[in-house]
């Protein structure tokens, strides 16, 4: 995680870093329960045994904590799968969907924040707008890497990229509501069979 | 709208009905601004020039108003396109996506509620779970009506149905965040070309 200089004595070093991650995880839990607007710094502080004042040493505002939550999710997605800036392969993308199916808590937090982010003046709005633009660009590169300038169906990578992203987001809501009925990795592979009926992904 | 008997003198008749619709529209606006948890009956009442007590004559609780919002959206979707219980055709489904692209306010309300509905004990959770099960069933019937038991890609209607629903939901978030970059009807038609490269939908 980038650790820019911050006001009022933000804790650094390995121990500070571990503490920050612990706080971010607690924030994810609170957001999954109540959404971001409904989340309080007091509730996060209580989960990690800090006073609210103590929490502010690590994250000077609720918005800073929100950004840390969103950034950490992206890091987990990429994990050690792929170097920064490199597009994932199709197989790595399937790997993300498989990993997601084993982390409902994170997916719940993220899906709740995505929903909230379309409400008025939400602090996560710029993050999601920029993230989508970036993820669509990376996904187009992924598709081009596999199929070149035309997918088997005739679509361009740029036409197909928003569809891949939409499938991933959309399946998450159906799965969170009904995990017995929705098998995310199987559904995502079914989608890839639409993209390329010849290739079993 | 169904109008079951309600406690404490709910207003009926054409005028009461018009007033109820006005209140539901106001509630949609307030939810689009602040989400459901952040919405107050007082804010809705103010928008329609009622006291909070006056509002309670039409909707005895905030949850009743939420259910009315969700129900009205479904009615608008089906509109006079198709009789109750009948599956839509593919062309009618495209028509819904085209209509959605002209009603960002409703889509914003619905997308905010979908996100919130995955948080703990949310009153819209049963609605969305049941709605998804029903919409997937209807979509499978729609796909079967057009392509029979196997889509051109080899998928069954039941395999493809959650994908169609996911595409519609997922595109809405990308479009709300970046309407300049995302053309929902064009993207949905691109998806249908994946389903059937032969048929221009």
């Amino acid at each position: 995680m980038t650790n820019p200089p911050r006001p009022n004595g933000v804790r650094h070093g390995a121990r500070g870093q571990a503490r920050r991650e612990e706080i971010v995880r607690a924030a994810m839990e609170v957001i999954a329960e109540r959404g971001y607007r409904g989340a309080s710094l007091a509730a996060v502080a209580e989960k990690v045994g800090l006073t609210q004042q103590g929490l502010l040493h690590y994250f000077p505002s609720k918005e800073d904590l929100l950004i840390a939550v969103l950034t950490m999710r992206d890091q987990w997605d990429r994990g050690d799968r792929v170097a920064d800036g490199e597009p994932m392969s199709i197989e790595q993308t399937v790997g993300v969907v498989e990993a997601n199916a084993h982390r409902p808590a994170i997916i719940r937090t993220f899906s709740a924040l995505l929903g909230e982010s379309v409400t008025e003046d939400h602090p996560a709005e710029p993050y999601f707008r920029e993230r989508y633009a970036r993820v669509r660009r990376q996904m187009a590169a992924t598709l081009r890497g596999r199929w070149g300038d035309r997918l088997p169906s005739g679509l361009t990578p740029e036409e197909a990229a928003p569809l891949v992203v939409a499938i991933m987001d959309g399946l998450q809501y159906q799965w969170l509501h009904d995990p017995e009925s929705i098998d995310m990795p199987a559904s995502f592979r079914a989608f890839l069979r639409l993209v390329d009926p010849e290739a079993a992904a």
Side-chain angles (χ1 to χ4, degrees), chain A:
Chain A
M1 181 168 334
T2 60
N3 224 333
R6 286 183 179 281
N8 57 323
V10 172
R11 308 298 165 80
H12 288 289
R15 216 172 131 200
Q17 184 61 23
R19 196 67 163 138
R20 283 171 63 91
E21 286 205 20
E22 191 191 350
I23 295 166
V24 170
R25 281 170 200 275
M28 286 185 168
E29 287 173 28
V30 172
I31 292 169
E33 286 163 16
R34 301 282 308 162
Y36 172 76
R37 288 198 207 274
S40 73
L41 286 178
V44 177
E46 200 192 323
K47 265 189 198 283
V48 294
L50 280 171
T51 62
Q52 199 170 328
Q53 204 50 43
L55 183 67
L56 294 174
H57 282 291
Y58 294 92
F59 296 95
S61 74
K62 192 175 156 188
E63 275 192 36
D64 286 312
L65 189 47
L66 173 66
I67 298 306
V69 163
L70 293 167
T71 308
M72 186 165 282
R73 195 254 150 123
D74 281 340
Q75 290 182 322
W76 284 341
D77 263 17
R78 297 182 72 81
D80 42 17
R81 281 184 191 84
V82 57
D84 242 16
E86 290 284 298
M88 288 191 197
S89 69
I90 292 286
E91 290 69 27
Q92 285 166 331
T93 309
V94 173
V96 170
V97 177
E98 282 169 348
N100 287 346
H102 289 97
R103 45 184 195 179
I106 294 162
I107 299 305
R108 188 177 304 279
T109 302
F110 182 82
S111 300
L113 283 174
L114 175 57
E116 247 188 287
S117 71
V118 307
T119 61
E120 210 163 88
D121 298 325
H122 196 280
E125 196 280 329
Y127 166 85
F128 277 106
R129 184 165 24 82
E130 286 155 28
R131 179 177 191 275
Y132 275 131
R134 174 168 48 80
V135 169
R136 282 193 298 262
R137 225 169 25 242
Q138 289 170 343
M139 187 54 69
T142 295
L143 296 168
R144 181 163 277 113
R146 172 75 165 258
W147 287 288
D149 287 338
R150 288 283 168 180
L151 276 60
S153 55
L155 263 58
T156 65
E158 283 68 27
E159 286 174 313
L163 301 178
V164 184
V165 178
I167 282 286
M168 293 173 86
D169 287 343
L171 285 176
Q172 287 172 8
Y173 288 107
Q174 292 182 61
W175 171 67
L176 287 170
H177 278 300
D178 198 348
E180 305 288 304
S181 299
I182 297 293
D183 179 334
M184 279 205 301
S187 276
F188 190 69
R189 284 198 199 89
F191 172 74
L192 292 176
R193 281 161 59 203
L194 291 182
V195 172
D196 187 354
E198 300 302 309

